[in-house]
Amino acid sequence: MGQPLSVSRLSARGFRNLGQLSLSPGARFNVIHGDNGQGKSNLLEAIHYLAALRSFRGAATAELIAEDEDRAELIAQVRGHAAPRDYRVRLTRGSSRQVRMDGKRPRSTADYVSSFQVVLFHPGDMQLVSGSPELRRGFLDRILEQYDPVYGSSLAAYQKALRSRNRLLKADRPDRAAIVAFDELLASAGAVVGQARERLIGELSPLVVKAFEDISGEGLPLRLAYAPRVVPEVDTLRRTLAESLDKDLARGFTADGPHADDLTFALAGSRAKHFGSQGQHRAIVLAMKVAELYELEQRTGRVPILLLDDVSSELDRARNRRLFALLSELGGQVFLTTTHPEFILLDRDRVDYRVEDGKLTQS
Ligand SMILES: Nc1ncnc2c1ncn2[C@@H]1O[C@H](COP(=O)(O)OP(=O)(O)O)[C@@H](O)[C@H]1O
Ligand SMILES: [Mg+2]
């Protein structure tokens, strides 16, 4: 088993409603309870932001800074690397974000993000199997970004080029030469993205299948498959972009490429998206999160920090019990939020916090 990553000290100032906050979390289970709207998710969002440099609720910087403040600061001391590390983020209204690792500016966002692994599970993830393909691409991308900085840079370059190309496609009098000038970059970065996703799905498959059996208690054969819009080879991507130019001009956006990829699930041979029960969907989602954790551990040699936002309320008692049994085996640091701490079926290695109006007290 890898070395567990853990936040040994966390401070926040001016982030959402958290005021001035400073805590030394437990190395295993940290249970954060409180009524709705008190700041439980905000606390997880702070930890997640420090690791991923974005809000898991899609919030813009202005929304993350406390309403009556001009800036927010987050600091985490993290153990699990060769030496303890210090991660800092400063958000300032109307100004760019400042990020520091051990006091130094990281070479790139991709570099920073691939050094601090967290696995997040929140109620929105319940749509992973049944919701839009964008959620499943995001799931794959977040895993890859967390261990491969080259992937993070390639994806960022691809998305930037795609936005530019789409903007040109929408122009009143589109400039064809300017549009096709992006095709080479889209083909090369797109091939990196598509091939990495394909390889990842191959690695995740057996892990998801095993975790699904453990969680659901069902022997139904589950299969994962990569469903690319275009085969992720540079030549094929380049040719498809060229051939689709007229259609893209008519539509006003680029139709083909890894931005239209999907990940599909088959349960006993049928598409789970259409046939699985809600209980099966949830078990698959949980299995995907467990697989994400194992994959990151195998790739980085570190057990990621697990953030579970109000997940117990989404699962029945039997699945909750299996989930917590599994978490106890995994051995890393866990932060979980709940309105009902008595539903958290853990009795060892547990620290409880209460949140009220953004203030945290150990209880
Ligand atoms: N930028 C902000 N400044 C001040 N308060 C905020 C900000 N963003 C959100 N909040 C407050 O945070 C609270 C919601 O916190 P949240 O962590 O989502 O609650 P929960 O405990 O239900 O998870 C709300 O009361 C909201 O008004
Ligand atoms: Mg919440």
Side-chain angles (χ1 to χ4, degrees):
M1 183 170 280
Q3 184 73 17
L5 278 185
S6 71
V7 175
S8 54
R9 182 126 199 104
L10 175 74
S11 318
R13 217 176 50 209
F15 186 85
R16 298 264 200 198
N17 74 339
L18 296 177
Q20 285 237 28
L21 174 143
S22 183
L23 71 151
S24 304
R28 291 288 277 126
F29 296 102
N30 295 278
V31 179
I32 297 135
H33 71 272
D35 294 336
N36 282 324
Q38 299 304 307
K40 302 184 296 297
S41 298
N42 292 345
L43 181 69
L44 291 203
E45 194 177 33
I47 299 169
H48 183 267
Y49 196 98
L50 273 160
L53 298 180
R54 56 179 187 84
S55 156
F56 67 77
R57 296 191 270 194
T61 298
E63 300 166 74
L64 298 174
I65 300 170
E67 276 153 14
D68 52 354
E69 299 281 345
D70 284 328
R71 75 157 57 143
E73 192 163 50
L74 299 171
I75 306 174
Q77 239 120 61
V78 176
R79 296 199 179 136
H81 300 92
R85 285 198 181 165
D86 177 279
Y87 291 87
R88 282 169 199 252
V89 177
R90 183 181 285 174
L91 307 174
T92 309
R93 255 182 230 292
S95 168
S96 54
R97 167 176 79 194
Q98 233 190 57
V99 174
R100 295 286 180 274
M101 197 164 84
D102 287 337
K104 291 194 278 290
R105 238 172 109 151
R107 271 192 303 171
S108 66
T109 301
D111 253 16
Y112 176 104
V113 166
S114 62
S115 78
F116 189 170
Q117 289 77 24
V118 294
V119 171
L120 167 76
F121 189 14
H122 68 111
D125 286 327
M126 291 298 175
Q127 310 304 315
L128 255 176
V129 175
S130 55
S132 73
E134 190 180 358
L135 297 173
R136 290 180 287 282
R137 287 192 296 271
F139 170 77
L140 299 171
D141 292 342
R142 297 296 90 77
I143 297 176
L144 289 161
E145 283 171 350
Q146 291 199 72
Y147 66 74
D148 184 0
V150 174
Y151 185 85
S153 312
S154 302
L155 182 66
Y158 181 86
Q159 288 171 335
K160 189 165 172 234
L162 186 67
R163 279 193 299 274
S164 304
R165 191 178 193 269
N166 286 343
R167 205 176 311 118
L168 294 171
L169 284 167
K170 282 191 189 68
D172 290 335
R173 289 171 52 204
D175 176 347
R176 292 174 85 100
I179 291 166
V180 301
F182 285 102
D183 292 9
E184 198 52 45
L185 176 57
L186 285 174
S188 57
V192 172
V193 169
Q195 286 168 26
R197 287 177 181 166
E198 186 165 29
R199 181 172 26 78
L200 174 64
I201 292 168
E203 290 173 8
L204 285 176
S205 285
L207 301 171
V208 176
V209 168
K210 168 78 171 61
F212 176 72
E213 278 174 18
D214 289 348
I215 295 163
S216 69
E218 288 183 54
L220 281 178
L222 174 70
R223 280 191 45 204
L224 275 69
Y226 179 47
R229 174 68 64 99
V230 182
V231 174
E233 302 289 346
V234 181
D235 291 344
T236 315
L237 284 162
R238 193 193 291 120
R239 188 164 19 88
T240 308
L241 284 165
E243 286 169 2
S244 310
L245 179 59
D246 287 324
K247 269 187 267 167
D248 285 351
L249 282 163
R251 281 183 285 242
F253 64 90
T254 309
D256 298 317
H259 59 283
D261 283 357
D262 202 354
L263 160 66
T264 58
F265 303 89
L267 203 51
S270 302
R271 277 291 285 273
K273 182 171 176 175
H274 305 297
F275 298 103
S277 68
Q278 198 187 36
Q280 285 168 337
H281 284 179
R282 287 178 179 196
I284 297 175
V285 172
L286 268 180
M288 286 166 73
K289 293 291 162 173
V290 172
E292 175 179 3
L293 209 127
Y294 282 128
E295 172 72 12
L296 288 172
E297 181 191 357
Q298 281 173 14
R299 282 287 181 167
T300 66
R302 299 185 287 269
V303 182
I305 294 169
L306 188 57
L307 307 173
L308 300 172
D309 195 16
D310 208 13
V311 166
S312 286
S313 59
E314 302 281 340
L315 300 170
D316 61 39
R317 215 173 158 74
R319 285 204 184 82
N320 255 314
R321 207 171 271 291
R322 291 206 197 94
L323 172 65
F324 287 116
L326 205 61
L327 293 181
S328 297
E329 279 169 33
L330 292 171
Q333 188 180 38
V334 181
F335 292 84
L336 54 98
T337 69
T338 181
T339 43
H340 292 91
E342 67 277 14
F343 289 172
I344 304 300
L345 310 168
L346 294 165
D347 41 21
R348 285 192 305 135
D349 305 322
R350 162 173 181 165
V351 185
D352 280 82
Y353 299 93
R354 181 166 179 76
V355 190
E356 254 179 282
D357 195 15
K359 293 193 181 41
L360 200 73
T361 44
Q362 205 166 320
S363 66

